[in-house]
């Protein structure tokens, strides 16, 4: 005690105290942190998790590390982020849309036909969810759009999504070869999970930002966009550029054809 | 058969009742209006026949379609910025707050019978209208139809194109949707980039801060009253001048600057042109019935906070968008408390200013370079004016690069490219592309001219090889017939001007020398590289010997291509008249 009393006026004492206080706060927070959205994890059986771990170590560990702790990209080699705490939703989205396992490195990982079946995806999701709490796969109830407000979904889409995906959801370009994909073929569950987990360049829209009901409204709006256009062919829904292209190709093309026909010499 | 003056054979049978009734009506009208003279004049007006002369008609007829469909739209569209809540059959907009302009566009699309078809007809017709104007302008440019006496009509046509742009932009913005609102914001930004006056212009246009509530009603007046009235008046002037100048014709045997070879307006062109109107209407209606255009119900009502990815204007404004996308953003300077936005001013005002001025003034620039004051009614073959043709292709290349740059995000997503790389590529291409296009086009034109010379001098290859008794082999060439030959020799090559010296014989400085010197420099740029048409002397030389080696020029690799002012020049001052007669006989000399 005497030694402590002698040193409490030492000029580094405040720094040491501050460090101790920070450590304590961190420890308390780690214990008290709300374990959110881990319902799926609870439901998953031990055998699913074990099977998922095997799949993970065979297919994902090269980049994400044997325990999903992530790995720095070494020279020309693969690296991937830590998957602890990304939740089952992220796995279901990334593996379900075929983005993972990644075919190659690039500006952006591309979607492709899924490499695993639904059961394997569920096992992988269960394993990753067991590593740390994260957003879970949306339930059928969350995806039920029967009572959705399509108009509100449209307004939310224009406010939150249109600057990257375009006002019609036809996709758009981002910097350096990245892009926001077209949303016309994405399944409702994948749309929901993308909002929840923010894959690649996309920001996270958590439940405080866009509520589950609003996410459902956005999905309902995107589904009505797929019903075709009352005006005829959609021309890719990319706006005036394709309209101008077809005005020249079909309109001026046909009319010049007609001109040649009419102007053809009769003599 | 082409006729210069033809009239139907008099009917032998006595007139039927219908004919008598028609004649009676015509007589009634003629006695009260004197219309008979005008009909006689117009009905017997001769027009030459060529498909490319119908391009302007496409523009005219699509404008008629615009007037018809536009009148229908005005009966249902409400140009008001009053905020309403939409309730109607389009569920995705149910209960959404929007302006009455947008709500009435939705009503027009989904509740008015035939409304959506009419909207789509109107919009497709607008795109076709501008496309036809541009195509027509290209035809006039590349064939030199803007030369004296048609320079003023070129200006009228140019003004019509500008008015068409304004009509398109003002109409595109009327529905007050997100996409056109983004476009208006860009227009606002361009206006504000103008130094000193910018914010005043913007506030005057929008009646205060963007977007305000004044603009849609103002655009409506501009779009349905002011611009259509101006376009109609100028179309009248445009056509009147065509009648006054008479129509141009392509070169060919029997055609000169002093005649028009073709068919009378009545009945041939009345039938052809009348029928063509319905063809144009049909094509536009077909497109409108099968292809969605401007689906504002997907874009939603305008709200300044919403900016969609891939927001683009209609194709004819896309080059402006492209300029804005290409311009590096670092060119914005803050001087004191003023911001000089060169990043917007240059692509938004300066570049279109240069492009449009070049188009408008071209006939005058070219007339200055040629020093040619004669009337021209026979069109040029584009190959025979390499500099003009190459300039036109270079201009279109720049325009096309800007259009592609305006679509850079779509190129990026559809071809999986980096938008940054695309933008840099287009920045370079905007300068390099036109230069390459110019050079290639000019070389192609000169080569085609040399090919023409070759054909005229040697005739068509027949593939028949003949061996002479001496053992010499030759291929027999079939000479061109008179019509084929005339087409290839009828033009005269423009040559660099020769001017009088700076001082006269007494050493007194001559007035106007500096202008002449400038003119000479310009005409050298235009006409230094050229291929002269075959002269009668050359032709005679080539034919008289049965073999072709009598004429050294014909065997030279660069036959007929001349550089510099050698080989007969046209004099600016005294002997312009002489050139046609005497100059054409002395043939090219070798440099």
């Amino acid at each position: 005690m005497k030694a402590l009393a002698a040193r409490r006026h030492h000029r580094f004492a405040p720094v040491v105290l501050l460090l101790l206080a920070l450590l304590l706060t961190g420890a308390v927070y780690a214990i008290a942190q709300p374990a959110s959205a881990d319902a799926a994890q609870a439901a998953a059986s031990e055998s699913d998790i074990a099977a998922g771990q095997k799949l993970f170590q065979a297919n994902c560990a090269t980049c994400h590390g044997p325990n999903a702790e992530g790995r720095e990209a070494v020279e020309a080699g693969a690296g991937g982020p830590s998957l602890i705490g990304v939740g089952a939703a992220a796995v279901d989205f990334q593996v379900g849309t075929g983005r993972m396992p990644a075919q190659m490195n690039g500006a952006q990982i591309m979607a492709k036909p899924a490499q695993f079946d639904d059961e394997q995806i569920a096992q992988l999701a269960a394993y990753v969810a067991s590593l740390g709490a994260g957003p879970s796969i949306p339930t059928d109830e969350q995806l039920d759009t029967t009572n959705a407000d399509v108009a509100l979904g449209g307004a939310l889409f224009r406010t939150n999504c249109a600057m990257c995906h375009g006002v019609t959801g036809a996709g758009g370009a981002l910097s350096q070869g990245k892009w926001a994909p077209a949303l016309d073929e994405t399944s409702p569950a994948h749309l929901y999970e993308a909002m929840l987990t923010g894959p690649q360049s996309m920001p996270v829209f958590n439940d405080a930002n866009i509520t589950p009901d609003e996410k459902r409204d956005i999905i309902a709006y995107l589904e009505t966009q797929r019903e075709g256009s009352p005006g005829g062919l959609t021309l890719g829904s990319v706006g005036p550029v394709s309209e101008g292209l077809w005005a020249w190709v079909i309109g001026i093309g046909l009319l010049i054809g007609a001109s040649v026909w009419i102007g053809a010499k009769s003599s | 058969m082409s006729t210069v003056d033809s009239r139907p054979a008099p009917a032998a049978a006595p007139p039927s009742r219908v004919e008598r009734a028609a004649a009676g009506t015509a007589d009634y009208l003629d006695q009260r209006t004197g219309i008979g003279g005008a009909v006689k004049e117009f009905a017997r007006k001769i027009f030459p026949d060529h498909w490319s002369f119908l391009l302007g008609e496409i523009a005219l007829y699509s404008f008629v379609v615009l007037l018809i469909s536009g009148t229908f739209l005005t009966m249902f569209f409400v140009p008001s910025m009053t905020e309403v809540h939409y309730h109607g059959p389009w569920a995705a907009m149910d209960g959404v707050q929007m302006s009455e302009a947008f709500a009435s566009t939705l009503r027009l699309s989904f509740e008015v019978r035939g409304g959506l078809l009419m909207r789509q007809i109107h919009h497709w017709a607008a795109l076709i209208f501008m496309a036809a104007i541009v195509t027509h302008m290209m035809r006039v440019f590349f064939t030199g139809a803007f030369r004296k006496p048609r320079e003023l009509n070129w200006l009228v046509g140019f003004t019509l194109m500008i008015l068409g742009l304004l009509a398109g932009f003002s109409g595109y913005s009327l529905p007050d949707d997100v996409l056109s609102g983004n476009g208006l914001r860009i227009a606002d930004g361009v206006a504000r980039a103008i130094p000193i006056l910018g914010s005043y212009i913007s506030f005057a246009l929008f009646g205060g801060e963007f977007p305000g509530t004044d603009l849609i009603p103002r655009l409506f007046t501009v779009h349905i009253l002011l611009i259509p009235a101006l376009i109609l008046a100028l179309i009248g002037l445009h056509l009147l001048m065509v009648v006054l100048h008479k129509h141009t014709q392509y070169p060919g045997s029997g055609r000169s600057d002093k005649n028009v070879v073709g068919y009378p307006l009545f009945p041939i062109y009345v039938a052809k042109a009348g029928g063509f109107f319905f063809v144009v209407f049909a094509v536009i209606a077909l497109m409108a019935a099968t292809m969605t255009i401007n689906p504002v119900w997907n874009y939603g009502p305008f709200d300044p906070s919403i900016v969609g990815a891939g927001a683009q204007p209609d194709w004819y404004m896309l080059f402006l968008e492209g300029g804005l996308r290409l311009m590096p953003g670092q060119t914005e300077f803050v001087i004191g408390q003023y911001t000089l936005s060169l990043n917007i001013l240059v692509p938004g005002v300066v570049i279109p200013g240069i492009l449009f001025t070049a188009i408008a003034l071209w006939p005058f620039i070219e007339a200055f370079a040629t020093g040619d004051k004669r009337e021209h009614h026979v069109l040029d073959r584009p190959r025979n004016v390499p500099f003009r043709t190459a300039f036109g292709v270079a201009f279109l290349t720049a325009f096309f690069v800007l259009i592609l740059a305006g679509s850079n995000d779509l190129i990026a997503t559809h071809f999986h490219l980096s938008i940054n790389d695309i933008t840099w590529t287009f920045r370079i291409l905007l300068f390099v592309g036109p230069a390459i296009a110019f050079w290639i086009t000019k070389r192609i034109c000169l080569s085609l001219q040399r090919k023409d010379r070759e054909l005229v001098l040697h005739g068509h290859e027949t593939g028949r090889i003949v061996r002479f008794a001496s053992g010499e082999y030759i291929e027999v060439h079939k000479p061109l017939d008179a019509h084929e030959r005339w087409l290839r020799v009828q033009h005269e090559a423009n040559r660099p001007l020769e001017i009088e010296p700076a001082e006269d014989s007494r050493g007194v400085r001559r007035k106007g020398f500096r202008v002449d010197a400038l003119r000479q420099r310009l005409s050298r740029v235009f006409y230094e590289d050229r291929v002269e048409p075959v002269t009668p002397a050359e032709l005679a030389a080539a034919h008289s010997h049965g073999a072709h080696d009598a004429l050294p020029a014909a065997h030279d690799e660069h036959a007929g291509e001349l550089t510099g002012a050698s080989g007969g020049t046209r004099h600016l001052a005294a002997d312009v008249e002489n050139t046609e007669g005497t100059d054409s006989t002395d043939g090219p000399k070798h440099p």
Side-chain angles (χ1 to χ4, degrees), chain B residues 305-491:
Chain B
S305 67
I306 298 168
V307 178
Q312 269 121 346
D314 276 344
W315 76 264
Y316 44 85
M317 302 296 269
L318 202 52
F319 75 103
L320 288 170
E321 171 87 13
L324 284 166
R325 289 187 184 196
L326 284 192
M327 188 73 185
Q330 292 83 354
T331 45
E332 184 173 274
F333 305 102
V334 179
I335 305 159
Q337 51 177 320
Y338 294 101
T339 308
L340 182 61
S341 292
L342 288 183
N343 53 335
I344 298 172
L345 190 67
V346 170
V349 180
V350 177
I351 287 181
I354 292 172
L355 290 181
F356 284 139
T357 311
I359 297 179
L361 296 185
W362 182 267
F364 307 97
I365 297 169
E366 197 183 294
F368 183 73
T370 54
D372 188 357
K373 299 215 165 41
R374 294 166 304 164
E375 290 203 355
H376 292 278
H377 299 288
V378 173
L379 296 170
D380 286 322
R381 300 172 83 206
R383 68 182 65 175
N384 290 337
V385 244
F387 185 88
R388 181 207 293 151
T389 306
F391 179 87
V393 173
F395 187 96
L396 288 175
T397 307
F399 186 68
F400 192 61
V401 168
L402 285 176
I403 282 184
L404 288 180
S407 325
N408 61 0
D409 58 316
L410 292 172
I411 297 173
T413 51
H414 285 74
F415 297 98
H416 295 291
L417 297 167
S418 160
I419 198 166
N420 306 55
D421 297 346
I422 295 173
T423 305
W424 268 107
T425 307
F426 286 142
R427 278 175 185 163
I428 296 164
L429 263 185
L430 182 61
F431 296 98
V432 177
I436 295 174
F438 182 90
W439 185 80
I440 291 178
T441 311
K442 199 169 158 188
R443 294 325 297 179
I444 289 177
C445 287
L446 292 171
S447 307
L448 284 171
Q449 280 185 278
R450 277 202 290 276
K451 168 81 180 158
D452 282 349
R453 272 186 67 88
E454 172 75 18
L455 262 179
V456 170
L457 287 174
H458 302 285
H460 297 289
E461 292 182 1
T462 57
R464 217 149 54 77
I465 310 287
V466 173
R467 194 178 77 169
F468 290 137
S470 62
E472 180 193 3
Y473 286 96
I474 64 154
E475 184 189 0
V476 177
H477 284 223
K478 181 170 152 278
L480 271 62
D481 70 32
H483 301 286
E484 288 177 307
R485 190 186 315 122
W486 176 249
L487 182 67
R488 288 165 178 80
V489 299
Q490 47 78 34
H491 65 287

Side-chain angles (χ1 to χ4, degrees), chain A residues 162 176 229 231-233 243 262 267, chain B residues 1 120 272 290 292 294 309 420:
Chain A
Q176 305 290 1
S229 166
L233 303 171
E243 291 161 7
I262 291 171
S267 54
Chain B
M1 283 299 292
Q120 301 204 136
K272 282 194 177 189
T290 52
T292 310
N294 201 22
N420 306 55

